Amino acid sequence: MRKLGCAVWELTLACNMQCKHCGSSAGSARPNELSTEECFSLCEELAQANCDMVSLMGGEPFVHPDWYDISWCVKDLGMNLAFVSNGLLVPSIVDKLSRLEPTVVGISLDGIEKTHDSIRRDGSFKTALQAIDMLLREDIQVTVITTISKTNFLDLLKLKPLLRTRKVNWQIQIAEPFGNFDRSLAIDEEEYYASAMFIVSENVKNKFNDVPIVGAHCYGYHSHLLPKSKKWKGCTAGISSIGITSDGSIVGCLSMGNNQYIEGNVRERSFVDIWEDPNSFAYNRSFDQSQLGENCKDCFYGLDCKGGCNSVSLHFTGQLHNTPYCMRRIEEEIFDIKPPKKERVKEKMKH
């Protein structure tokens, strides 16, 4: 049986916000979302597949009327539980969260007050900070998730001292042009590289790592200059992680567009059958070098990297395995850093 590390489950598409960068265009529930009984059955199938972690998100997961019962089902079946939330409802349910003892709760924070509220809704910044503080008081691990665009790129430095006093983890990711997001607000390659340098430099400067900062899967890919960027071994969609839409469709990654690359629906086939099907997730499981796009096909590390984050590749270039946001390529094309001799020799042999 294949190892399933994490199932990211869109519990409902209903949401109490309509954020400007939301890839799911969340707001209203899907017409035919899974019933609570179907959710219980799906939990059992995930446990049967030896899923390690179930991360409940939305929309906004806490809008779902039975989120608490479904969460207990995940826990009772021996799987780890996590949430991704905008924080708006957390103050009213923090006691329930404390009883559930989730592994982590992700809270979205997209800049200082004026910026965050302009992206999400008025008053949401203060509520998000309140949610973070309440979760920390309950000894629940918090990861702050910041999605960057031209709107809030300069807020990273302003957010840093705010988060340092709270001792949280901080994940930075880039906004992608699908759903509600305006493509003209996407950061450019130099801004992307600057944000990567920010992540690395802050972790180096913070000797005691009081605010661990990580880049999401949109960061990395064999940089010449930045440490630890050679660990990336390709997109995990359908390899060790999957996405579940609120109406039961199974996809490799919700961020790839949750109505695309559907491998099956749990109303028609069991989750285990979909997960174990050798033909599922072929774009990753059967990857070969011929699938690399123009940005990646001649790269020395193409087979290892597999073209970076497939969500970024798809939404910025229209194809998989072709990310334009690659630190290595930016270093070579923009900053004219030459690849090591062994790579130059390999390239000459190709031609």
Side-chain angles (χ1 to χ4, degrees):
M1 182 172 283
R2 289 180 173 271
K3 181 174 176 56
L4 177 56
C6 183
V8 182
W9 186 348
E10 175 199 86
L11 198 57
T12 179
L13 198 56
C15 190
N16 46 15
M17 293 188 186
Q18 290 186 317
C19 303
K20 292 179 180 177
H21 60 242
C22 179
S24 300
S25 299
S28 300
R30 293 178 187 272
N32 194 23
E33 297 193 332
L34 296 177
S35 68
T36 300
E37 289 301 319
E38 287 176 315
C39 289
F40 291 156
S41 296
L42 179 52
C43 288
E44 292 173 355
E45 292 184 38
L46 289 170
Q48 185 182 346
N50 296 320
C51 180
D52 178 55
M53 169 83 76
V54 177
S55 180
L56 300 180
M57 61 174 293
E60 171 58 34
F62 302 131
V63 169
H64 192 290
D66 293 321
W67 72 268
Y68 189 56
D69 292 335
I70 296 166
S71 298
W72 269 119
C73 188
V74 171
K75 293 281 290 188
D76 288 343
L77 288 165
M79 295 177 284
N80 291 310
L81 175 68
F83 297 96
V84 178
S85 170
N86 58 37
L88 202 61
L89 294 175
V90 167
S92 64
I93 60 167
V94 70
D95 290 343
K96 290 182 176 180
L97 287 171
S98 182
R99 288 193 287 274
L100 282 166
E101 297 182 330
T103 302
V104 63
V105 176
I107 299 292
S108 299
L109 197 66
D110 291 316
I112 58 173
E113 185 169 6
K114 182 179 179 181
T115 309
H116 178 92
D117 285 0
S118 72
I119 292 170
R120 293 180 175 268
R121 58 180 273 184
D122 288 346
S124 60
F125 176 83
K126 289 179 179 176
T127 306
L129 286 187
Q130 181 187 8
I132 292 167
D133 291 340
M134 293 179 78
L135 290 167
L136 292 174
R137 282 197 294 270
E138 295 296 327
D139 201 27
I140 297 173
Q141 181 179 329
V142 175
T143 294
V144 168
I145 302 170
T146 301
T147 303
I148 60 171
S149 66
K150 290 186 182 297
T151 303
N152 62 351
F153 177 73
L154 296 178
D155 277 19
L156 289 178
L157 285 171
K158 300 172 186 176
L159 273 178
K160 182 180 66 172
L162 191 69
L163 299 183
R164 179 170 292 151
T165 61
R166 286 173 165 81
K167 308 284 186 179
V168 296
N169 300 320
W170 190 9
Q171 177 178 301
I172 297 173
Q173 58 196 33
I174 65 173
E176 300 172 32
F178 69 114
N180 293 348
F181 186 61
D182 180 349
R183 188 185 189 99
S184 68
L185 296 176
I187 60 173
D188 61 31
E189 291 179 348
E190 292 189 30
E191 290 166 331
Y192 167 82
Y193 197 84
S195 64
M197 294 294 286
F198 170 80
I199 293 168
V200 173
S201 64
E202 287 304 311
N203 282 322
V204 170
K205 282 193 291 185
N206 293 333
K207 186 176 180 181
F208 299 102
N209 218 24
D210 50 351
V211 184
I213 307 177
V214 298
H217 284 176
C218 49
Y219 286 97
Y221 324 137
H222 301 276
S223 162
H224 292 291
L225 302 178
L226 302 181
K228 299 182 180 179
S229 67
K230 294 181 172 59
K231 291 184 178 180
W232 173 262
K233 294 298 180 183
C235 173
T236 63
I239 303 295
S240 60
S241 63
I242 53 96
I244 306 169
T245 67
S246 57
D247 58 2
S249 291
I250 304 302
V251 296
C253 171
L254 291 171
S255 294
M256 286 166 59
N258 49 23
N259 292 318
Q260 300 188 83
Y261 299 96
I262 295 172
E263 305 295 337
N265 190 288
V266 296
R267 286 177 168 145
E268 299 164 1
R269 298 172 63 194
S270 75
F271 173 77
V272 174
D273 283 349
I274 297 169
W275 175 246
E276 293 294 336
D277 188 335
N279 296 313
S280 292
F281 313 101
Y283 55 88
N284 263 355
R285 292 182 179 178
S286 302
F287 171 82
D288 63 52
Q289 195 159 7
S290 68
Q291 294 172 253
L292 292 172
E294 285 297 314
N295 289 323
C296 305
K297 66 179 183 178
D298 293 324
C299 180
F300 182 83
Y301 289 102
L303 278 174
D304 284 338
C305 177
K306 300 178 183 176
C309 171
N310 271 326
S311 175
V312 172
S313 297
L314 180 65
H315 296 303
F316 280 98
T317 72
Q319 68 178 106
L320 304 177
H321 310 292
N322 189 44
T323 185
Y325 289 91
C326 168
M327 291 194 287
R328 185 178 192 82
R329 188 181 64 80
I330 291 169
E331 288 166 348
E332 292 179 4
E333 294 185 5
I334 295 180
F335 303 117
D336 198 30
I337 297 174
K338 303 298 183 186
K341 183 177 180 181
K342 66 176 182 178
E343 297 179 30
R344 296 200 299 273
V345 168
K346 182 180 177 182
E347 291 305 312
K348 286 182 181 178
M349 291 175 66
K350 274 187 181 179
H351 303 292

PDB file of all heavy atoms in Angstrom, residues 12-35:
ATOM      1  N   THR A  12     -15.887  22.195   3.378  1.00  0.00           N
ATOM      2  CA  THR A  12     -16.975  22.908   2.719  1.00  0.00           C
ATOM      3  C   THR A  12     -16.381  24.050   1.924  1.00  0.00           C
ATOM      4  O   THR A  12     -15.302  24.563   2.265  1.00  0.00           O
ATOM      5  CB  THR A  12     -18.004  23.454   3.735  1.00  0.00           C
ATOM      6  OG1 THR A  12     -19.033  24.174   3.010  1.00  0.00           O
ATOM      7  CG2 THR A  12     -17.362  24.388   4.743  1.00  0.00           C
ATOM      8  N   LEU A  13     -17.076  24.441   0.871  1.00  0.00           N
ATOM      9  CA  LEU A  13     -16.633  25.610   0.120  1.00  0.00           C
ATOM     10  C   LEU A  13     -17.284  26.879   0.665  1.00  0.00           C
ATOM     11  O   LEU A  13     -16.952  27.983   0.257  1.00  0.00           O
ATOM     12  CB  LEU A  13     -16.953  25.444  -1.370  1.00  0.00           C
ATOM     13  CG  LEU A  13     -16.195  26.340  -2.344  1.00  0.00           C
ATOM     14  CD1 LEU A  13     -14.691  26.196  -2.201  1.00  0.00           C
ATOM     15  CD2 LEU A  13     -16.616  26.055  -3.782  1.00  0.00           C
ATOM     16  N   ALA A  14     -18.197  26.712   1.615  1.00  0.00           N
ATOM     17  CA  ALA A  14     -18.812  27.878   2.266  1.00  0.00           C
ATOM     18  C   ALA A  14     -17.749  28.633   3.056  1.00  0.00           C
ATOM     19  O   ALA A  14     -16.840  28.033   3.635  1.00  0.00           O
ATOM     20  CB  ALA A  14     -19.932  27.431   3.193  1.00  0.00           C
ATOM     21  N   CYS A  15     -17.862  29.951   3.074  1.00  0.00           N
ATOM     22  CA  CYS A  15     -16.874  30.761   3.783  1.00  0.00           C
ATOM     23  C   CYS A  15     -17.522  32.061   4.251  1.00  0.00           C
ATOM     24  O   CYS A  15     -18.455  32.567   3.630  1.00  0.00           O
ATOM     25  CB  CYS A  15     -15.685  31.067   2.870  1.00  0.00           C
ATOM     26  SG  CYS A  15     -14.274  31.809   3.744  1.00  0.00           S
ATOM     27  N   ASN A  16     -16.987  32.584   5.356  1.00  0.00           N
ATOM     28  CA  ASN A  16     -17.469  33.853   5.895  1.00  0.00           C
ATOM     29  C   ASN A  16     -16.628  35.034   5.426  1.00  0.00           C
ATOM     30  O   ASN A  16     -16.726  36.130   5.960  1.00  0.00           O
ATOM     31  CB  ASN A  16     -17.511  33.802   7.427  1.00  0.00           C
ATOM     32  CG  ASN A  16     -16.242  33.211   8.027  1.00  0.00           C
ATOM     33  OD1 ASN A  16     -15.226  33.083   7.342  1.00  0.00           O
ATOM     34  ND2 ASN A  16     -16.298  32.836   9.291  1.00  0.00           N
ATOM     35  N   MET A  17     -15.770  34.805   4.428  1.00  0.00           N
ATOM     36  CA  MET A  17     -15.019  35.869   3.772  1.00  0.00           C
ATOM     37  C   MET A  17     -15.042  35.624   2.274  1.00  0.00           C
ATOM     38  O   MET A  17     -15.393  34.530   1.812  1.00  0.00           O
ATOM     39  CB  MET A  17     -13.568  35.906   4.266  1.00  0.00           C
ATOM     40  CG  MET A  17     -13.391  36.298   5.708  1.00  0.00           C
ATOM     41  SD  MET A  17     -11.632  36.526   6.103  1.00  0.00           S
ATOM     42  CE  MET A  17     -11.717  36.804   7.866  1.00  0.00           C
ATOM     43  N   GLN A  18     -14.623  36.620   1.517  1.00  0.00           N
ATOM     44  CA  GLN A  18     -14.418  36.476   0.077  1.00  0.00           C
ATOM     45  C   GLN A  18     -13.098  37.150  -0.266  1.00  0.00           C
ATOM     46  O   GLN A  18     -13.051  38.263  -0.790  1.00  0.00           O
ATOM     47  CB  GLN A  18     -15.589  37.083  -0.712  1.00  0.00           C
ATOM     48  CG  GLN A  18     -16.875  36.277  -0.586  1.00  0.00           C
ATOM     49  CD  GLN A  18     -17.985  36.783  -1.479  1.00  0.00           C
ATOM     50  OE1 GLN A  18     -18.205  37.983  -1.597  1.00  0.00           O
ATOM     51  NE2 GLN A  18     -18.696  35.871  -2.109  1.00  0.00           N
ATOM     52  N   CYS A  19     -12.013  36.462   0.059  1.00  0.00           N
ATOM     53  CA  CYS A  19     -10.676  37.047  -0.032  1.00  0.00           C
ATOM     54  C   CYS A  19     -10.260  37.263  -1.484  1.00  0.00           C
ATOM     55  O   CYS A  19     -10.585  36.478  -2.377  1.00  0.00           O
ATOM     56  CB  CYS A  19      -9.676  36.149   0.684  1.00  0.00           C
ATOM     57  SG  CYS A  19     -10.111  35.873   2.419  1.00  0.00           S
ATOM     58  N   LYS A  20      -9.487  38.325  -1.694  1.00  0.00           N
ATOM     59  CA  LYS A  20      -9.127  38.731  -3.039  1.00  0.00           C
ATOM     60  C   LYS A  20      -8.145  37.779  -3.714  1.00  0.00           C
ATOM     61  O   LYS A  20      -7.981  37.834  -4.937  1.00  0.00           O
ATOM     62  CB  LYS A  20      -8.553  40.153  -3.020  1.00  0.00           C
ATOM     63  CG  LYS A  20      -9.591  41.207  -2.657  1.00  0.00           C
ATOM     64  CD  LYS A  20      -8.997  42.605  -2.624  1.00  0.00           C
ATOM     65  CE  LYS A  20     -10.063  43.641  -2.267  1.00  0.00           C
ATOM     66  NZ  LYS A  20      -9.500  45.010  -2.161  1.00  0.00           N
ATOM     67  N   HIS A  21      -7.484  36.928  -2.937  1.00  0.00           N
ATOM     68  CA  HIS A  21      -6.541  35.992  -3.553  1.00  0.00           C
ATOM     69  C   HIS A  21      -7.021  34.548  -3.482  1.00  0.00           C
ATOM     70  O   HIS A  21      -6.255  33.634  -3.762  1.00  0.00           O
ATOM     71  CB  HIS A  21      -5.166  36.104  -2.888  1.00  0.00           C
ATOM     72  CG  HIS A  21      -5.174  35.810  -1.425  1.00  0.00           C
ATOM     73  ND1 HIS A  21      -4.828  36.745  -0.482  1.00  0.00           N
ATOM     74  CD2 HIS A  21      -5.493  34.696  -0.740  1.00  0.00           C
ATOM     75  CE1 HIS A  21      -4.927  36.210   0.714  1.00  0.00           C
ATOM     76  NE2 HIS A  21      -5.336  34.964   0.578  1.00  0.00           N
ATOM     77  N   CYS A  22      -8.274  34.320  -3.104  1.00  0.00           N
ATOM     78  CA  CYS A  22      -8.767  32.962  -2.900  1.00  0.00           C
ATOM     79  C   CYS A  22      -8.831  32.189  -4.210  1.00  0.00           C
ATOM     80  O   CYS A  22      -9.613  32.525  -5.109  1.00  0.00           O
ATOM     81  CB  CYS A  22     -10.148  32.991  -2.247  1.00  0.00           C
ATOM     82  SG  CYS A  22     -10.855  31.351  -1.964  1.00  0.00           S
ATOM     83  N   GLY A  23      -8.024  31.141  -4.320  1.00  0.00           N
ATOM     84  CA  GLY A  23      -8.012  30.335  -5.536  1.00  0.00           C
ATOM     85  C   GLY A  23      -9.284  29.536  -5.734  1.00  0.00           C
ATOM     86  O   GLY A  23      -9.644  29.187  -6.859  1.00  0.00           O
ATOM     87  N   SER A  24      -9.989  29.245  -4.637  1.00  0.00           N
ATOM     88  CA  SER A  24     -11.215  28.451  -4.722  1.00  0.00           C
ATOM     89  C   SER A  24     -12.447  29.295  -4.979  1.00  0.00           C
ATOM     90  O   SER A  24     -13.541  28.740  -5.166  1.00  0.00           O
ATOM     91  CB  SER A  24     -11.418  27.669  -3.415  1.00  0.00           C
ATOM     92  OG  SER A  24     -10.330  26.803  -3.168  1.00  0.00           O
ATOM     93  N   SER A  25     -12.291  30.618  -4.975  1.00  0.00           N
ATOM     94  CA  SER A  25     -13.453  31.518  -5.064  1.00  0.00           C
ATOM     95  C   SER A  25     -14.520  31.100  -4.062  1.00  0.00           C
ATOM     96  O   SER A  25     -15.712  31.011  -4.370  1.00  0.00           O
ATOM     97  CB  SER A  25     -14.035  31.532  -6.492  1.00  0.00           C
ATOM     98  OG  SER A  25     -13.089  31.984  -7.414  1.00  0.00           O
ATOM     99  N   ALA A  26     -14.079  30.817  -2.843  1.00  0.00           N
ATOM    100  CA  ALA A  26     -14.979  30.307  -1.812  1.00  0.00           C
ATOM    101  C   ALA A  26     -15.989  31.370  -1.395  1.00  0.00           C
ATOM    102  O   ALA A  26     -15.763  32.569  -1.547  1.00  0.00           O
ATOM    103  CB  ALA A  26     -14.168  29.840  -0.598  1.00  0.00           C
ATOM    104  N   GLY A  27     -17.094  30.906  -0.845  1.00  0.00           N
ATOM    105  CA  GLY A  27     -18.152  31.791  -0.380  1.00  0.00           C
ATOM    106  C   GLY A  27     -19.394  30.988  -0.103  1.00  0.00           C
ATOM    107  O   GLY A  27     -19.874  30.898   1.026  1.00  0.00           O
ATOM    108  N   SER A  28     -19.920  30.339  -1.133  1.00  0.00           N
ATOM    109  CA  SER A  28     -21.105  29.493  -0.998  1.00  0.00           C
ATOM    110  C   SER A  28     -20.695  28.019  -1.026  1.00  0.00           C
ATOM    111  O   SER A  28     -19.720  27.644  -1.688  1.00  0.00           O
ATOM    112  CB  SER A  28     -22.092  29.757  -2.141  1.00  0.00           C
ATOM    113  OG  SER A  28     -22.511  31.103  -2.138  1.00  0.00           O
ATOM    114  N   ALA A  29     -21.461  27.207  -0.310  1.00  0.00           N
ATOM    115  CA  ALA A  29     -21.215  25.770  -0.317  1.00  0.00           C
ATOM    116  C   ALA A  29     -21.463  25.211  -1.720  1.00  0.00           C
ATOM    117  O   ALA A  29     -22.240  25.764  -2.510  1.00  0.00           O
ATOM    118  CB  ALA A  29     -22.131  25.082   0.688  1.00  0.00           C
ATOM    119  N   ARG A  30     -20.786  24.121  -2.053  1.00  0.00           N
ATOM    120  CA  ARG A  30     -21.080  23.432  -3.308  1.00  0.00           C
ATOM    121  C   ARG A  30     -22.514  22.892  -3.262  1.00  0.00           C
ATOM    122  O   ARG A  30     -23.038  22.612  -2.182  1.00  0.00           O
ATOM    123  CB  ARG A  30     -20.097  22.278  -3.518  1.00  0.00           C
ATOM    124  CG  ARG A  30     -18.652  22.703  -3.758  1.00  0.00           C
ATOM    125  CD  ARG A  30     -17.769  21.477  -3.907  1.00  0.00           C
ATOM    126  NE  ARG A  30     -16.362  21.839  -3.972  1.00  0.00           N
ATOM    127  CZ  ARG A  30     -15.715  22.149  -5.100  1.00  0.00           C
ATOM    128  NH1 ARG A  30     -16.373  22.123  -6.244  1.00  0.00           N
ATOM    129  NH2 ARG A  30     -14.439  22.472  -5.084  1.00  0.00           N
ATOM    130  N   PRO A  31     -23.118  22.705  -4.426  1.00  0.00           N
ATOM    131  CA  PRO A  31     -24.509  22.245  -4.442  1.00  0.00           C
ATOM    132  C   PRO A  31     -24.736  20.885  -3.795  1.00  0.00           C
ATOM    133  O   PRO A  31     -25.805  20.625  -3.265  1.00  0.00           O
ATOM    134  CB  PRO A  31     -24.834  22.182  -5.949  1.00  0.00           C
ATOM    135  CG  PRO A  31     -23.849  23.090  -6.597  1.00  0.00           C
ATOM    136  CD  PRO A  31     -22.607  23.011  -5.767  1.00  0.00           C
ATOM    137  N   ASN A  32     -23.737  20.007  -3.826  1.00  0.00           N
ATOM    138  CA  ASN A  32     -23.953  18.636  -3.378  1.00  0.00           C
ATOM    139  C   ASN A  32     -22.803  18.165  -2.498  1.00  0.00           C
ATOM    140  O   ASN A  32     -22.138  17.170  -2.795  1.00  0.00           O
ATOM    141  CB  ASN A  32     -24.114  17.721  -4.600  1.00  0.00           C
ATOM    142  CG  ASN A  32     -24.667  16.350  -4.231  1.00  0.00           C
ATOM    143  OD1 ASN A  32     -25.311  16.188  -3.197  1.00  0.00           O
ATOM    144  ND2 ASN A  32     -24.398  15.369  -5.070  1.00  0.00           N
ATOM    145  N   GLU A  33     -22.548  18.881  -1.417  1.00  0.00           N
ATOM    146  CA  GLU A  33     -21.434  18.522  -0.541  1.00  0.00           C
ATOM    147  C   GLU A  33     -21.720  17.212   0.208  1.00  0.00           C
ATOM    148  O   GLU A  33     -22.882  16.829   0.391  1.00  0.00           O
ATOM    149  CB  GLU A  33     -21.158  19.664   0.442  1.00  0.00           C
ATOM    150  CG  GLU A  33     -20.719  20.931  -0.279  1.00  0.00           C
ATOM    151  CD  GLU A  33     -20.133  22.009   0.614  1.00  0.00           C
ATOM    152  OE1 GLU A  33     -20.493  22.071   1.805  1.00  0.00           O
ATOM    153  OE2 GLU A  33     -19.319  22.793   0.104  1.00  0.00           O
ATOM    154  N   LEU A  34     -20.654  16.549   0.617  1.00  0.00           N
ATOM    155  CA  LEU A  34     -20.809  15.288   1.337  1.00  0.00           C
ATOM    156  C   LEU A  34     -21.647  15.493   2.595  1.00  0.00           C
ATOM    157  O   LEU A  34     -21.482  16.484   3.313  1.00  0.00           O
ATOM    158  CB  LEU A  34     -19.437  14.732   1.730  1.00  0.00           C
ATOM    159  CG  LEU A  34     -18.482  14.329   0.593  1.00  0.00           C
ATOM    160  CD1 LEU A  34     -17.155  13.873   1.183  1.00  0.00           C
ATOM    161  CD2 LEU A  34     -19.078  13.239  -0.293  1.00  0.00           C
ATOM    162  N   SER A  35     -22.528  14.551   2.853  1.00  0.00           N
ATOM    163  CA  SER A  35     -23.273  14.575   4.113  1.00  0.00           C
ATOM    164  C   SER A  35     -22.334  14.218   5.256  1.00  0.00           C
ATOM    165  O   SER A  35     -21.224  13.696   5.037  1.00  0.00           O
ATOM    166  CB  SER A  35     -24.426  13.572   4.064  1.00  0.00           C
ATOM    167  OG  SER A  35     -23.923  12.239   4.045  1.00  0.00           O
TER     168      SER A  35
END
